[in-house]
């Protein structure tokens, strides 16, 4: 059932996009600007793509941008879907299936996250080397489409070690420090309580956020190599004395944006 929907979207898109993308990009809030650097781009609004969900969050453009970036054929989601917006988990991950069917076998996914590791600082960039799914749901629940991937998916290397190495090399080349750590996903939309943050730290999380994990599970299901990078926009609740505010998240995103974009651009050059 879902396969037919994916095929309908793909069919619509292949007629509009003249390149076969090799890399899919999911750009978190603030990083949408990167999509503006894509050359010879084709821009397609989510609302015109059959079966595609439509973005509700302010500041998320809600369009697919495909073209060339640093010599690579890319397709970028400018604006993504969060489970807390009320979409079914299948809808949240639907675009990943579509981008893979269009040809992308690598996925670079970015997000903003709260720092759980007390050694981290606001503004750090963190390469995700593993994750903990605390969303209490899973996009693979339901009948399995064998054409998509296996029923019981191996998740021994959810984030590609080759891409992690490339990201570390890229950071070195442009002279920025990056962290490497475990991303824990909650549904949100509330930020965590201090007790939850202490619990997450004990469980091995370095950062916490409200996205990414569903898309990464689906990308793995489709045998796509994944690179995930978080911007630590704030320290998670209870670590510093101040309360959390979405404004801080936006401010940090804007402050770090140039470095973040430089990093992704350099990674594209190297992979
Ligand atoms: N918690 C969860 N998600 C987030 C945070 C946070 O502290 N900051 C940015 N996204």
């Amino acid at each position: 059932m879902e396969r037919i929907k994916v095929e309908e979207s793909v069919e619509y898109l292949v007629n509009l996009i003249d390149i076969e993308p090799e890399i899919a990009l999911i750009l978190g809030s603030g990083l949408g600007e990167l999509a503006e650097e894509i050359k010879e781009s084709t821009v397609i609004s989510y609302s015109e793509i059959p079966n595609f969900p439509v973005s509700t969050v302010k500041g998320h453009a809600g369009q697919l941008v495909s073209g060339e970036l640093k010599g690579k054929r890319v397709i970028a989601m400018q604006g993504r879907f969060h489970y807390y917006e009320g979409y079914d988990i299948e809808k949240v991950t639907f675009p990943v299936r579509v981008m893979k069917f269009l040809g992308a076998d690598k996925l670079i996914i970015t997000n903003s996250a709260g720092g759980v590791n007390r050694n981290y600082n606001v503004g750090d960039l963190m390469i995700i080397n593993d994750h903990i799914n605390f969303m209490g749901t899973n996009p693979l629940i339901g009948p399995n489409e064998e054409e998509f991937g296996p029923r019981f998916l191996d998740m021994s290397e959810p984030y590609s070690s080759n891409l992690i190495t490339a990201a570390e090399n890229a950071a070195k080349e442009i002279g920025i420090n990056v962290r490497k750590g475990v991303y824990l996903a909650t549904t949100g939309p509330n930020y965590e309580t201090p007790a939850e943050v202490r619990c997450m730290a004990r469980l091995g999380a370095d950062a916490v956020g409200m996205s990414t994990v569903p898309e990464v599970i689906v990308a793995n299901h489709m045998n796509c190599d994944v690179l995930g990078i978080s911007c630590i926009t704030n320290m998670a609740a209870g670590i510093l004395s101040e309360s959390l505010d979405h404004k801080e998240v936006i401010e940090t995103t804007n402050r770090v944006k140039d470095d973040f974009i430089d990093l992704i651009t350099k990674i594209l050059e190297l992979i």
Side-chain angles (χ1 to χ4, degrees):
M1 205 172 48
E2 208 201 352
R3 185 170 52 79
I4 293 163
K5 287 192 178 155
V6 171
E7 282 166 0
E8 280 173 2
S9 305
V10 170
E11 212 169 290
Y12 178 81
L13 289 166
V14 284
N15 289 324
L16 296 175
I17 297 172
D18 25 55
I19 54 136
E20 185 182 318
E22 48 189 326
I23 302 168
L25 298 166
I26 301 182
L27 305 170
S29 40
L31 279 198
E33 255 179 45
L34 182 59
E36 282 155 29
E37 290 176 28
I38 298 175
K39 301 220 174 71
E40 315 255 333
S41 64
T42 309
V43 180
I44 304 153
S45 168
Y46 295 158
S47 59
E48 66 174 275
I49 308 169
N51 309 323
F52 232 68
V54 178
S55 198
T56 64
V57 179
K58 233 176 48 193
H60 289 234
Q63 53 193 24
L64 277 181
V65 184
S66 84
E68 234 182 71
L69 194 54
K70 292 288 150 188
K72 298 292 189 312
R73 289 171 278 119
V74 302
I75 184 156
M77 282 182 76
Q78 210 176 11
R80 62 134 62 92
F81 305 100
H82 299 91
Y83 188 55
Y84 63 70
E85 292 176 75
Y87 300 105
D88 292 343
I89 197 79
E90 256 186 26
K91 275 276 178 202
V92 170
T93 54
F94 184 84
V96 176
R97 300 222 183 263
V98 171
M99 292 190 291
K100 168 69 201 233
F101 265 48
L102 285 170
D105 59 8
K106 291 188 184 73
L107 170 68
I108 299 178
I109 185 162
T110 67
N111 61 46
S112 56
V116 171
N117 184 324
R118 288 171 178 263
N119 295 321
Y120 285 8
N121 296 307
V122 172
D124 283 349
L125 295 176
M126 182 189 92
I127 299 169
I128 304 174
N129 62 7
D130 205 342
H131 74 220
I132 298 172
N133 178 11
F134 254 35
M135 285 188 149
T137 185
N138 190 303
L140 305 184
I141 289 173
N144 187 58
E145 297 271 7
E146 285 297 322
E147 246 178 83
F148 286 169
R151 168 80 293 183
F152 300 107
L153 173 67
D154 173 44
M155 288 288 280
S156 304
E157 194 187 325
Y159 300 84
S160 154
S161 53
N162 287 340
L163 293 178
I164 290 172
T165 305
E168 288 179 304
N169 290 338
K172 247 183 247 152
E173 275 195 36
I174 61 172
I176 60 167
N177 277 322
V178 283
R179 309 282 191 170
K180 200 162 61 169
V182 173
Y183 176 90
L184 183 149
T186 69
T187 63
N190 62 283
Y191 294 118
E192 302 67 40
T193 67
E196 286 166 346
V197 172
R198 288 194 299 275
C199 167
M200 288 166 186
R202 288 188 167 208
L203 293 175
D206 295 296
V208 56
M210 305 173 192
S211 68
T212 303
V213 162
E215 294 97 316
V216 171
I217 292 172
V218 163
N220 273 268
H221 191 230
M222 305 195 84
N223 206 16
C224 207
D225 287 343
V226 178
L227 176 69
I229 303 179
S230 297
C231 173
I232 306 298
T233 51
N234 57 281
M235 291 310 288
I239 294 183
L240 305 175
S241 52
E242 65 215 35
S243 57
L244 299 195
D245 187 340
H246 184 57
K247 264 202 225 121
E248 185 190 1
V249 172
I250 309 246
E251 272 165 24
T252 311
T253 308
N254 286 334
R255 181 162 62 78
V256 179
K257 189 169 62 186
D258 290 347
D259 273 357
F260 208 164
I261 289 179
D262 286 351
L263 179 63
I264 305 281
T265 311
K266 182 51 87 177
I267 291 168
L268 285 172
E269 267 179 52
L270 296 186
I271 61 178

